[in-house]
Amino acid sequence: MTDTTTHLEELIAAERKKANDRITKLRKQAETEQRKVDARVVELFKEQKPELHARLEGEARAALDAEKSERSRKAKRAASPTEPESGPEAATPAEPGEEVMRPWNG
């Protein structure tokens, strides 16, 4: 009985692997197709609304540059050694909306 069960489990596992491989292949094909459609939409948009496309492209680039700068600023802050805090001036955040973490002295 265990040989039959073991063999059946092996067959099920093999079929699951085949199905998962097929699903992965189908997802990749769908992603590739969507990228082609997206690229064509952008081409049509450029042709039909060049001024709006140029304006939105500039806005998108500015937003991406701002995000990149923010990530860089956070990375630099995380990499720099923390200075010991002293006095009330240390309780004020360096930038608006930024929290200051201090050790608990209780």
Side-chain angles (χ1 to χ4, degrees):
M1 183 74 167
T2 59
D3 286 340
T4 305
T5 304
T6 302
H7 181 66
L8 180 60
E9 290 172 355
E10 289 172 356
L11 289 174
I12 291 170
E15 290 301 319
R16 280 190 180 141
K17 182 175 179 350
K18 283 184 197 177
N20 287 337
D21 291 346
R22 178 76 176 135
I23 290 168
T24 299
K25 181 180 176 184
L26 290 171
R27 284 187 177 144
K28 286 181 181 178
Q29 287 174 342
E31 289 170 4
T32 300
E33 181 68 19
Q34 187 60 51
R35 279 194 299 273
K36 289 177 183 178
V37 169
D38 291 345
R40 185 63 183 136
V41 167
V42 170
E43 288 175 20
L44 291 169
F45 186 58
K46 281 182 187 179
E47 291 171 8
Q48 295 177 12
K49 303 282 184 178
E51 297 84 15
L52 180 58
H53 175 270
R55 182 177 62 88
L56 293 175
E57 183 179 36
E59 289 178 21
R61 287 185 189 279
L64 290 172
D65 288 344
E67 291 170 9
K68 182 178 176 183
S69 295
E70 180 66 14
R71 283 192 308 272
S72 176
R73 185 184 66 78
K74 286 181 180 179
K76 286 178 184 176
R77 187 174 61 207
S80 68
T82 57
E83 297 179 14
E85 297 178 3
S86 62
E89 68 277 355
T92 306
E95 294 183 11
E98 186 177 16
E99 293 184 27
V100 174
M101 302 297 286
R102 290 181 283 171
W104 181 64
N105 295 330

